[in-house]
Amino acid sequence: QKALHYVKKINHPNLKVQFDVFHVQIMDGSITQNLKEQYPYIGHIQISQVPDRGEPDENGEICFPYFFNLLDEMGYEGIVGCEYVPRGSTLQGLKWMKGLENRK
């Protein structure tokens, strides 16, 4: 919230915040509401599952298919970075991406 405060105050097009889905869920729990409110100020989105910071699959608190659909609906065209610790091998940790094959 402090970073967002300063980004709004400085109001420069090159200054944005990182929307860290893991931390938003841990600290506030209102991912959709926060995303919609902060959207004009977001320059980068980072994802991982809660509570274990695992891959963004369905084995946690966050429904990532819903989240990705929301990003599509909002017209997000930026980068979505993955900062997670695979629960198994690296190859196993990338299997969640299979569900993205039929996306836009």
Side-chain angles (χ1 to χ4, degrees):
Q1 295 297 351
K2 282 185 181 181
L4 182 60
H5 167 77
Y6 287 111
V7 167
K8 288 179 178 180
K9 186 175 182 177
I10 294 168
N11 194 27
H12 191 282
N14 291 340
L15 184 61
K16 302 284 185 181
V17 295
Q18 172 180 287
F19 189 85
D20 186 327
V21 175
F22 177 85
H23 283 104
V24 170
Q25 176 66 7
I26 292 288
M27 297 176 75
D28 194 38
S30 300
I31 294 172
T32 299
Q33 179 181 341
N34 278 294
L35 181 66
K36 288 180 178 180
E37 289 174 359
Q38 297 177 27
Y39 187 75
Y41 308 101
I42 294 172
H44 177 77
I45 295 175
Q46 183 172 289
I47 60 173
S48 63
Q49 190 55 274
V50 175
D52 63 355
R53 198 181 271 286
E55 48 267 54
D57 55 17
E58 297 178 9
N59 295 317
E61 296 178 16
I62 302 170
C63 178
F64 279 99
Y66 169 83
F67 180 76
F68 291 136
N69 286 334
L70 182 61
L71 291 180
D72 287 344
E73 289 171 14
M74 295 178 75
Y76 182 73
E77 295 181 352
I79 301 295
V80 176
C82 299
E83 184 189 31
Y84 65 86
V85 179
R87 295 180 193 101
S89 69
T90 300
L91 189 57
Q92 289 171 329
L94 295 171
K95 287 184 178 179
W96 68 272
M97 295 181 79
K98 283 267 189 203
L100 301 177
E101 291 175 339
N102 297 322
R103 297 190 58 78
K104 297 177 189 176

